[in-house]
Amino acid sequence: MSHPQKDRPWLFRTYAGHSTAAASNALYRGNLAKGQTGLSVAFDLPTQTGYDSDHTLAEGEVGKVGVPVCHLGDMRALFDNIPLEQMNTSMTINATAPWLLSLYIAAAQEQGADISALQGTVQNDIIKEYLSRGTYICPPEPSLRMITDVAAYTRQHLPKWNPMNVCSYHLQEAGATPEEELAFALATATAVLDDLKGKVPAQHFPAMVGRISFFVNAGIRFVTELCKMRAFVELWDEICRDRYGVTDPKFRRFRYGVQVNSLGLTEQQPENNVYRILIEMLAVTLSKNARARAVQLPAWNEALGLPRPWDQQWSLRMQQILAYETDLLEYDDLFDGNPAIDRKVAALKDGARAELKQIDGMGGAVNAIAYMKGRLVESNAARISNIEAGETTVVGVNKWQSGEPSPLTAGDDAIMVADKDAETDQRKRLADWKSNRDASAVKDALAALRATALDGTNIMTPSIACAKAGVTTGEWADVIRAVFGQYRAPTGVSAHPSNRTEGLDDLREQVDLVSTKLGRRLKFLVGKPGLDGHSNGAEQIAARARDCGMDIAYEGIRLTPDELVDAALNDDAHIIG
């Protein structure tokens, strides 16, 4: 019996990294042996924000949400016995993307790889860091320069590499509606391409447009999400053709990877997450004309803690069964000509165009950061209100909460526990690295990096030299901070109450009574210490306290304890939370 010709499956990835480079390497090799076809590297927060593992701000954070990479030795260990010339590697890294790519190139060259053959992606999307994820370092203008420096360098030396993954994933996690996710991501892409135009020869610019890729989110409303992906395809084609004059259709393709929605994974009845993950995957695989190029699925128990290798395997098997056991890849697009789909796609495109017009009127994405951040905070507040009011059903959370105890979560080993000695081990190896390198070579490499940062030439060449000289992540980032300065992004929390004060009358009355007794408005200081930039919770607490009638003070993420104490004293706060 003959079988119909099948399309090639998407790349199967698992977003992974923890504890140390050696431990993560073992995890990667195990996943590849199970049939994973690409790597997706998660870095820890100090690496993402440009600090070495021995920095005061790194304490307690080393190896917790990803792998620590402080120098070439760590990168070498991370990919030990993994031939990089044959691998497709995605690195979720933004503010320090030029540096991590430099380490990757240096490690590949040590393996004897032809770097022009390297395939993969650096996320390298700093605008969404200001809006949602929070691992930025520098102000927008120099950050945009470094993004396009990476793009210009890869055009010349790594032609198969995607220099930027415009990331709408975290926008949805921060509350974006489908229209906002479409518009904010596309506005980011045009901001980058507008800047890149002056850095590559005109005849090569269309091909560079073709190297821009996207990383999206797929939520539980999977029909809407499927339509969103079709809208992305059509809007991107339109922008590439009309704004940039790209005539070759292959350079106008909307190429994207996806991780399905982690925001919707619940701690309550976590076994239900298996079905959520599967349904969300359908949104980015069913429609051939809008199918993802790479898919990474979270594990069912990520709301509880670090998934075990078995949990990650379960998610990988979902992809493999859909791709290899079903007949999905034997058919043309299943939704072309469907009137319901066409209507929804058209409505999403209209909404996205309206947002894009607003952003363009402000001078583009960089100038519209505060506007976009405010929209996300308000949209997230509306999302949460709908869940609290029961208008949005979340099974096991606000409906059908009772159920049988799950055998999957029983026992002490139900989730993986991070190695408690990993941070100490990482710091010791970092100290050994610093003591055994050529100090004068490090000094010279950092001086060349500083000169390049100041004179405006491409940051990649001296960064690669720094990697080979033994410079560390913190040392590289310290130069960048010193030259470009540090940045504090807008919080998106307005001082004015929203229109969601229904049901708060009793609370507002109590706040008024307390304020009268105090002789001034009750002052609430919201603090967000540590390196974690996920600020959604802090923003919503601040917004709800404001709507309850309190005077709020919220300066954003990554404040040290000393800074919070100073702010409390300066603001004469009554409450710190």
Side-chain angles (χ1 to χ4, degrees):
M1 178 180 173
S2 63
H3 292 280
Q5 182 70 34
K6 283 187 128 181
D7 293 331
R8 181 184 298 177
W10 53 91
L11 282 172
F12 305 148
R13 285 182 173 143
T14 303
Y15 184 52
H18 67 90
S19 302
T20 64
S24 299
N25 172 263
L27 179 62
Y28 296 161
R29 287 190 285 113
N31 285 343
L32 290 168
K34 294 170 186 171
Q36 186 174 298
T37 53
L39 293 176
S40 180
V41 182
F43 296 99
D44 72 357
L45 287 170
T47 304
Q48 292 184 52
T49 51
Y51 294 105
D52 284 334
S53 298
D54 59 1
H55 194 281
T56 302
L57 290 173
E59 189 171 347
E61 300 281 9
V62 176
K64 289 295 173 64
V65 302
V67 58
V69 175
C70 290
H71 48 71
L72 181 56
D74 284 339
M75 189 65 83
R76 190 184 295 144
L78 186 62
F79 294 109
D80 185 40
N81 287 316
I82 298 175
L84 295 182
E85 192 171 321
Q86 300 171 26
M87 194 51 53
N88 192 306
T89 305
S90 172
M91 293 191 284
T92 302
I93 197 70
N94 295 282
T96 53
W99 173 240
L100 271 298
L101 180 57
S102 296
L103 290 173
Y104 188 85
I105 290 169
Q109 288 177 325
E110 283 189 346
Q111 290 185 357
D114 174 4
I115 67 164
S116 68
L118 296 181
Q119 297 184 73
T121 304
V122 278
Q123 192 163 99
N124 203 22
D125 176 2
I126 205 68
I127 292 177
K128 73 95 176 47
E129 296 299 317
Y130 302 135
L131 298 179
S132 54
R133 182 61 186 88
T135 63
Y136 53 81
I137 298 174
C138 301
E141 288 77 9
S143 296
L144 188 61
R145 169 202 159 177
M146 287 190 285
I147 290 171
T148 52
D149 277 359
V150 169
Y153 184 87
T154 58
R155 182 203 68 78
Q156 191 171 359
H157 301 285
L158 282 75
K160 297 180 180 180
W161 195 268
N162 299 319
M164 185 192 188
N165 219 204
V166 181
C167 181
S168 72
Y169 176 85
H170 295 98
L171 301 180
Q172 187 177 134
E173 297 276 294
T177 65
E179 293 86 351
E180 288 167 348
E181 186 181 345
L182 285 161
F184 296 177
L186 293 171
T188 296
T190 57
V192 170
L193 287 174
D194 288 350
D195 190 72
L196 181 61
K197 255 189 156 181
K199 293 188 176 183
V200 299
Q203 67 270 27
H204 295 299
F205 184 72
M208 285 308 301
V209 173
R211 294 314 307 172
I212 298 295
S213 60
F214 290 75
F215 188 74
V216 307
N217 202 325
I220 194 65
R221 292 171 57 80
F222 83 102
V223 177
T224 296
E225 294 294 288
L226 184 151
C227 293
K228 181 190 74 183
M229 298 321 307
R230 291 172 72 93
F232 256 133
V233 168
E234 293 176 18
L235 286 168
W236 183 240
D237 182 77
E238 185 180 294
I239 287 168
C240 293
R241 183 190 66 235
D242 298 345
R243 186 179 182 119
Y244 297 113
V246 178
T247 56
D248 190 334
K250 75 178 180 182
F251 294 146
R252 304 200 304 259
R253 289 176 189 156
F254 183 79
R255 300 179 309 114
Y256 76 97
V258 65
Q259 171 151 324
V260 305
N261 191 296
S262 294
L263 178 68
L265 301 183
T266 64
E267 184 177 354
Q268 303 94 322
Q269 300 180 17
E271 61 276 6
N272 297 340
N273 294 330
V274 174
Y275 307 107
R276 294 185 177 108
I277 292 166
L278 177 59
I279 289 166
E280 290 164 355
M281 178 174 61
L282 297 179
V284 295
T285 53
L286 287 181
S287 176
K288 178 177 179 176
N289 293 338
R291 185 171 292 150
R293 300 295 182 95
V295 176
Q296 56 192 48
L297 302 181
W300 68 279
N301 57 351
E302 283 191 20
L304 303 177
L306 196 63
R308 301 158 297 184
W310 183 87
D311 304 315
Q312 293 187 333
Q313 175 184 293
W314 197 0
S315 290
L316 175 61
R317 295 295 184 246
M318 281 191 217
Q319 296 201 56
Q320 291 169 325
I321 289 167
L322 181 62
Y324 292 114
E325 291 194 18
T326 77
D327 56 356
L328 172 65
L329 299 180
E330 296 172 10
Y331 290 92
D332 292 334
D333 197 289
L334 305 176
F335 301 95
D336 282 354
N338 182 304
I341 296 292
D342 289 347
R343 282 195 302 271
K344 185 61 176 178
V345 171
L348 289 172
K349 287 167 62 178
D350 287 345
R353 286 193 189 102
E355 281 286 359
L356 282 166
K357 184 177 180 181
Q358 179 88 356
I359 293 166
D360 282 343
M362 296 177 180
V366 170
N367 292 332
I369 287 170
Y371 163 77
M372 292 189 287
K373 179 67 175 178
R375 289 297 300 265
L376 290 177
V377 171
E378 288 302 306
S379 294
N380 202 24
R383 181 190 68 83
I384 293 168
S385 294
N386 288 338
I387 294 172
E388 291 174 343
E391 295 174 18
T392 297
T393 296
V394 183
V395 174
V397 175
N398 64 0
K399 205 166 187 179
W400 305 300
Q401 295 98 326
S402 63
E404 299 299 323
S406 170
L408 292 174
T409 56
D412 294 335
D413 61 347
I415 59 170
M416 186 172 171
V417 178
D419 181 358
K420 62 181 176 57
D421 298 322
E423 184 166 332
T424 301
D425 174 60
Q426 174 69 10
R427 290 186 178 204
K428 181 181 181 302
R429 286 185 292 100
L430 175 59
D432 291 344
W433 176 269
K434 288 180 178 178
S435 65
N436 291 322
R437 62 188 179 171
D438 183 340
S440 64
V442 168
K443 182 179 178 181
D444 290 346
L446 289 171
L449 175 67
R450 177 180 173 81
T452 296
L454 287 167
D455 70 21
T457 50
N458 196 298
I459 206 78
M460 283 299 298
T461 300
S463 295
I464 294 168
C466 281
K468 294 177 178 179
V471 167
T472 67
T473 296
E475 291 166 341
W476 181 90
D478 281 346
V479 171
I480 299 303
R481 276 186 275 262
V483 174
F484 297 142
Q486 297 192 72
Y487 183 68
R488 182 159 292 283
T491 66
V493 181
S494 169
H496 306 293
S498 72
N499 59 3
R500 286 181 298 278
T501 57
E502 185 178 350
L504 299 178
D505 290 347
D506 289 345
L507 270 174
R508 290 173 67 85
E509 184 177 335
Q510 293 298 315
V511 170
D512 287 343
L513 287 172
V514 172
S515 299
T516 299
K517 288 185 179 180
L518 291 170
R520 62 187 177 90
R521 182 57 50 182
L522 183 63
K523 184 86 172 190
F524 182 16
L525 173 71
V526 180
K528 182 69 172 69
L531 292 180
D532 181 26
H534 287 106
S535 57
N536 301 337
E539 290 155 5
Q540 294 308 314
I541 290 168
R544 186 61 65 91
R546 172 205 63 200
D547 288 349
C548 288
M550 298 182 197
D551 183 11
I552 57 163
Y554 174 54
E555 295 183 18
I557 62 173
R558 297 216 299 263
L559 292 174
T560 66
D562 286 344
E563 287 171 331
L564 287 172
V565 170
D566 288 343
L569 293 173
N570 292 334
D571 288 331
D572 203 9
H574 300 107
I575 308 167
I576 303 175

